[in-house]
Amino acid sequence: MAANRYRLMHRAKEGSKDARKVLKLLEKPDQLIALILLGNNLVNIIIAQLAAYIGYLVYGEIGIAIAAFVLTFVLLIFAEMTPKTIAVLHPDRLAAIAGRIYTILRIVLYPFIRFSNLITNNLLKLLGIKQNISAVEALSREELRTAVVTAGKHIPSEYRNMLLGILDLEKRTVIDIMVPRSEIYAINIADPIEQIEKNIYSAIYTRIPLCDGTIDNIIGILHTRNFLSINHQDITADTLKKMARAPYFITEHTSLNETLIAFKKKRRRVALVTNEFGEVQGLATMEDLLEEIIGEFTNDPKTYDTMIAQRADGSVIVDGGCYVRELNKTMGWSLNESGPKTINGLVLEYLELIPESATCVLIDKHPFEVIKTHKNAVKIVKILPSIEKV
């Protein structure tokens, strides 16, 4: 009963007959338990009667008491503790051996097993106990996460992190990975053509949103490869509109798992993130999503200037637009991620006002010092390690 079901299934797929026998027995655990208990009790009763008989023949009536005491000790050591301890330490190996014996015994004792199960099941019904017997229960996400974390040397650390990243996709939403609205690089087709060309040629991205007036009026996603394929004199606002692909919108509460499936199904690499009022809040890309699984892997120029700078005294200088989750991952901290997603939002929510420079505050046991504010936002913050570790 302690054998690893998943390991047995793996061995069965590799062709192990013993593993198949064990799995077949575990398909009906109620019958297996009945078989084990039937055999165990039958043997114990026969041994007890035999020991009592031998004790009586040798020592008379006192021999029955001696036999009971000796037999209790012998059964406890040699029939219970020792074999069951070995079985717990080596369940898979002994399951293969036991499976051969139990398979034969189940056939021989099937009428008795069936009869005892029938009585037991009816008794459970009378007591109002529901039966939900399953040989293998599916692991929950958190249980599977624990299994991956505790896998140790069996899974290399980089692969373990990737598996954990996949398991976290269901818990994370696009708001955790999106480029904030203020940082979206978009082309306004209402600008002069010369300015549009200049903006496209100087862009560091392959796919650029096209807007008409404001960022809330996105009309398409332009691939720079298509733009470079047309003649200079043919460039007009209408040409860009026809060249651009219709934008794809998702809500800010869409999970990363659903986003990944949608990207694959719709063959998309960029999605615009909107709030409940339909306003654009940010932009999510396939690259950012995949980095949640495998870590940083691109040479995106926007990552050249780091948003987190560690100092020799243990403090960290952080850009206000840095994501709280990214800071936690980089520094191994545990700042609250369930509220605001950026450091700027975290400070503003805590203070409930726009702070001035040199304002200090304690958030999640970390001292924060506002270094610079600009346009109603915290731009640079100095953060010290948790005071519990100081």
Side-chain angles (χ1 to χ4, degrees), residues 341-360:
K341 303 302 179 182
T342 65
I343 296 299
N344 170 56
L346 189 64
V347 174
L348 294 183
E349 181 188 63
Y350 191 86
L351 293 175
E352 297 183 350
L353 53 81
I354 300 172
E356 297 180 354
S357 298
T359 300
C360 296

Side-chain angles (χ1 to χ4, degrees), residues 30 32 66 165 290 313:
D30 56 334
L32 178 58
I66 296 173
L290 292 178
D313 62 357

Side-chain angles (χ1 to χ4, degrees), residues 158 161-162 165 286-298 326 329:
E158 59 269 24
N161 291 335
M162 290 171 61
M286 176 67 82
E287 288 75 13
D288 291 330
L289 198 157
L290 292 178
E291 285 180 354
E292 285 294 302
I293 301 174
I294 65 177
E296 297 289 338
F297 71 96
T298 67
E326 189 63 32
K329 288 170 61 178

Side-chain angles (χ1 to χ4, degrees), residues 147-319:
V148 172
V149 170
T150 57
K153 64 181 180 180
H154 299 292
I155 303 178
S157 59
E158 59 269 24
Y159 296 153
R160 183 162 59 246
N161 291 335
M162 290 171 61
L163 290 172
L164 293 175
I166 294 173
L167 293 174
D168 285 342
L169 290 183
E170 191 67 35
K171 297 192 299 182
R172 303 293 178 185
T173 61
V174 288
I175 200 171
D176 293 314
I177 66 165
M178 72 178 187
V179 176
R181 173 192 176 98
S182 59
E183 297 180 20
I184 295 178
Y185 188 89
I187 301 297
N188 187 356
I189 62 170
D191 291 339
I193 293 299
E194 294 77 14
Q195 183 63 42
I196 292 176
E197 287 187 74
K198 181 180 178 180
N199 291 340
I200 295 177
Y201 283 126
S202 62
I204 59 176
Y205 305 102
T206 304
R207 295 169 177 82
I208 309 172
L210 293 182
C211 65
D212 189 358
T214 67
I215 198 69
D216 286 317
N217 189 22
I218 300 290
I219 59 176
I221 303 295
L222 176 67
H223 199 301
T224 54
R225 178 182 58 195
N226 298 332
F227 173 79
L228 296 175
S229 65
I230 63 175
N231 296 323
H232 172 76
Q233 58 272 18
D234 295 332
I235 299 176
T236 64
D238 290 335
T239 303
L240 294 177
K241 286 182 181 180
K242 294 178 181 178
M243 196 180 303
R245 188 178 184 185
Y248 174 58
F249 295 93
I250 55 177
T251 65
E252 59 187 353
H253 300 299
T254 305
S255 70
L256 295 185
N257 183 49
E258 293 174 342
T259 303
L260 181 61
I261 294 173
F263 275 160
K264 181 179 179 181
K265 183 178 180 180
K266 299 180 181 297
R267 298 182 179 276
R268 295 280 187 165
R269 297 179 67 88
V270 176
L272 293 158
V273 184
T274 61
N275 61 14
E276 57 183 311
F277 304 107
E279 299 169 333
V280 175
Q281 298 298 299
L283 180 144
T285 67
M286 176 67 82
E287 288 75 13
D288 291 330
L289 198 157
L290 292 178
E291 285 180 354
E292 285 294 302
I293 301 174
I294 65 177
E296 297 289 338
F297 71 96
T298 67
N299 291 322
D300 190 338
K302 71 180 180 181
T303 65
Y304 290 167
D305 295 325
T306 181
M307 305 182 87
I308 304 171
Q310 300 183 45
R311 303 177 67 181
D313 62 357
S315 64
V316 181
I317 303 299
V318 184
D319 188 286

Side-chain angles (χ1 to χ4, degrees), residues 81-105:
M81 293 179 62
T82 301
K84 288 181 179 179
T85 300
I86 295 174
V88 169
L89 295 175
H90 306 282
D92 298 333
R93 187 187 306 173
L94 294 183
I97 300 173
R100 305 169 196 168
I101 301 172
Y102 288 154
T103 299
I104 297 172
L105 288 177

